């Protein structure tokens, strides 16, 4: 393969039929851990439902997890919904007793074996494309957890004359500089990532902005939440953040289908109503990671251990330098009847 723009090589490496990393290598959890996995996933699910109930009395009609991996977060959401409602939520008595929302997990792979039958599964083309069937969502809580960082984006590098040029890459990972950035990508760079000196890199967030905008447009009414690692204007990384993971290790990015490829998300350029650090939003929602009173250990040892485990998962989700640094871009969509 000759050198291709990173955006194109990245898409092929992750999503090409029969050779893309996400279609052939056993799913994200075989290669890296996210907050959606294990005990933190259970607390995250609780936090997302609390966020919903900040603005809605009744449960969502449908919960959609886009970029669902193997359905880990969808499974935690199902358990959270079929168990007691979260403490401090404003569920009405009627809402508490009524139906469980439809749960829909969306990813590029076929439905995983063993996934709970109460979770629906929808296959997606992957990358910057979404399935056409995902539309007209009403009463919807839509989540993209660590999804946008794997949407391939254009990578540019500022040359010696100060001009941003597209970075090309071959299948061995060797890079070269292509032509100058043009059109909407150049405008995006000038507007959102200004002042980069020669040698500096820009990860153009346009593809992420567009696919998120598309997802928002598929919702008639509800709440969308993009949770990801990223940056905001004034704090952009200069050297670029593109990296790769395989089998639990961070490695040099090579677009050959053997590894995940990811770059931080320009979170502030996504269409949003609120943009909040995960540690702040979860604390506001009452998830503070406070250890239980040790006296509980003598009166209720199993209860003490369960509360301790829950608190330690909360603490991991709000930790500075860890999951707590993630951003939540929240978009509220209200349906307007246009006469
Ligand atoms: C980094 S993994 C995160 C998985 C899971 N959300 C988690 O947090 O553990 C990103 C996932 O997004 C999926 N993905 C990428 N583009 C997609 C698209 N357009 N529609 C649905 N899923 C997509 C990938 O296949 C992959 O499973």
């Amino acid at each position: 393969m000759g050198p291709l723009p990173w955006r194109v090589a990245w898409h092929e490496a992750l999503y090409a039929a029969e050779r893309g990393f996400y279609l052939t290598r056993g799913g994200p959890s075989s290669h890296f851990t996210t907050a959606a996995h294990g005990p933190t996933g259970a607390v995250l699910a609780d936090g997302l439902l609390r966020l919903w109930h900040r603005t809605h009395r009744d449960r969502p009609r449908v919960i959609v997890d886009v970029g669902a991996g193997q359905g880990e977060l969808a499974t935690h959401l199902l358990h959270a919904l079929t168990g007691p409602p979260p403490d401090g939520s404003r569920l009405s008595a009627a809402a508490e007793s009524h139906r469980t929302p439809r749960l829909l997990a969306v990813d590029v792979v076929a439905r995983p074996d063993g996934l709970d039958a109460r979770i629906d599964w929808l296959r997606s083309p992957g990358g910057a494309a979404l399935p056409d069937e995902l539309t007209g969502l009403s009463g919807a809580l839509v989540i993209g957890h660590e999804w946008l960082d794997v949407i391939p984006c254009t990578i540019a590098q500022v040359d010696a004359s100060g001009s941003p040029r597209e970075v090309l890459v071959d299948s061995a990972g060797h890079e070269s500089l292509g032509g100058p950035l043009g059109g909407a990508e150049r405008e995006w760079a000038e507007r959102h990532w200004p002042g980069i000196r020669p040698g500096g890199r820009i990860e153009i967030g346009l593809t992420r902005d567009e696919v998120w905008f598309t997802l928002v447009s598929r919702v008639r009414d509800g709440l969308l939440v993009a949770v990801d690692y990223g940056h905001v204007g004034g704090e952009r990384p200069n050297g670029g953040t593109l990296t790769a993971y395989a089998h639990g290790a961070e490695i040099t990015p090579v677009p050959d289908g053997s590894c995940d490829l990811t770059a931080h998300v320009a979170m502030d350029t996504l269409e949003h109503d609120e943009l909040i650090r995960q540690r702040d939003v979860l604390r506001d929602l009452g998830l503070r990671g406070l250890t239980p009173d040790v006296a509980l250990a003598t009166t209720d040892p199993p209860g003490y251990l369960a509360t301790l485990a829950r608190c330690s998962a909360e603490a991991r989700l709000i930790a500075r330098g860890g999951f707590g640094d993630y951003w939540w871009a929240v978009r509220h969509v209200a349906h307007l009847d246009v006469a």
Side-chain angles (χ1 to χ4, degrees):
M1 175 187 95
L4 292 171
W6 251 117
R7 187 188 67 265
V8 177
W10 183 348
H11 182 89
E12 288 289 301
L14 295 192
Y15 306 112
E18 287 161 29
R19 38 195 182 89
F21 171 81
Y22 277 121
L23 289 125
T24 58
R25 305 274 173 152
S29 54
S30 309
H31 297 271
F32 50 88
T33 302
T34 75
H37 305 154
T40 49
V43 178
L44 184 64
D46 178 17
L48 289 160
L49 294 172
R50 289 182 188 219
L51 183 78
W52 170 269
H53 285 297
R54 228 179 33 168
T55 46
H56 298 79
R57 285 183 67 78
D58 292 340
R59 285 177 163 179
R61 275 197 284 283
V62 58
I63 301 180
V64 184
D65 184 18
V66 179
Q70 296 287 297
E72 295 89 349
L73 183 58
T75 303
H76 287 301
L77 285 159
L78 178 69
H79 293 162
L81 287 159
T82 48
D87 297 344
S89 71
R90 296 187 290 114
L91 281 181
S92 64
E96 281 181 29
S97 62
H98 85 192
R99 79 246 155 345
T100 301
R102 176 182 180 223
L103 271 157
L104 175 61
V106 185
D107 208 291
V108 301
V109 288
R111 180 186 183 86
D113 290 341
L115 186 69
D116 193 299
R118 291 168 291 177
I119 299 172
D120 290 337
W121 190 266
L122 178 61
R123 270 189 103 163
S124 172
L130 288 167
D132 293 341
E133 304 91 307
L134 190 67
T135 193
L137 299 165
S138 186
L141 170 59
V142 182
I143 302 151
H145 184 266
E146 283 206 32
W147 165 54
L148 290 170
D149 62 275
V150 297
I151 305 301
C153 65
T154 291
I155 299 190
Q157 186 165 317
V158 177
D159 68 15
S161 72
S163 173
R165 308 241 311 263
E166 187 158 20
V167 180
L168 312 180
V169 64
D170 67 18
S171 55
H174 300 125
E175 293 185 343
S176 52
L177 288 192
L181 271 193
E185 292 188 330
R186 190 173 186 116
E187 277 170 32
W188 191 100
E190 285 170 356
R191 180 165 171 211
H192 297 298
W193 205 309
I196 298 295
R197 288 193 290 277
R201 284 164 78 115
I202 308 168
E203 290 156 351
I204 310 290
L206 206 53
T207 42
R208 282 95 181 264
D209 294 354
E210 286 171 354
V211 71
W212 176 249
F213 182 81
T214 303
L215 187 59
V216 172
S217 75
R218 306 282 180 91
V219 176
R220 277 166 56 84
D221 61 273
L223 180 65
L224 297 98
V225 193
V227 181
D228 232 307
Y229 38 84
H231 41 75
V232 296
E235 300 172 15
R236 306 277 185 226
N238 189 43
T241 63
L242 177 70
T243 190
Y245 292 90
H247 306 296
E250 187 170 5
I251 56 173
T252 305
V254 177
D256 62 358
S258 67
C259 52
D260 185 29
L261 296 165
T262 164
H264 291 206
V265 180
M267 295 297 294
D268 56 324
T269 69
L270 303 172
E271 185 181 336
H272 65 272
D273 297 301
E274 298 169 77
L275 184 61
I276 329 157
R277 290 271 193 193
Q278 176 158 297
R279 56 176 175 265
D280 296 326
V281 68
L282 289 183
R283 278 205 198 99
D284 279 357
L285 292 166
L287 306 176
R288 305 217 165 90
L290 301 176
T291 45
D293 187 341
V294 74
L296 187 64
T298 46
T299 54
D300 177 10
Y304 176 75
L305 288 178
T307 312
L308 202 56
R310 156 97 193 186
C311 291
S312 102
E314 288 183 12
R316 285 190 63 205
L317 286 178
I318 61 176
R320 277 180 192 272
F323 292 137
D325 291 349
Y326 280 34
W327 291 95
W328 289 33
V330 179
R331 179 79 175 96
H332 301 267
V333 180
H335 175 62
L336 298 176
D337 270 325
V338 181

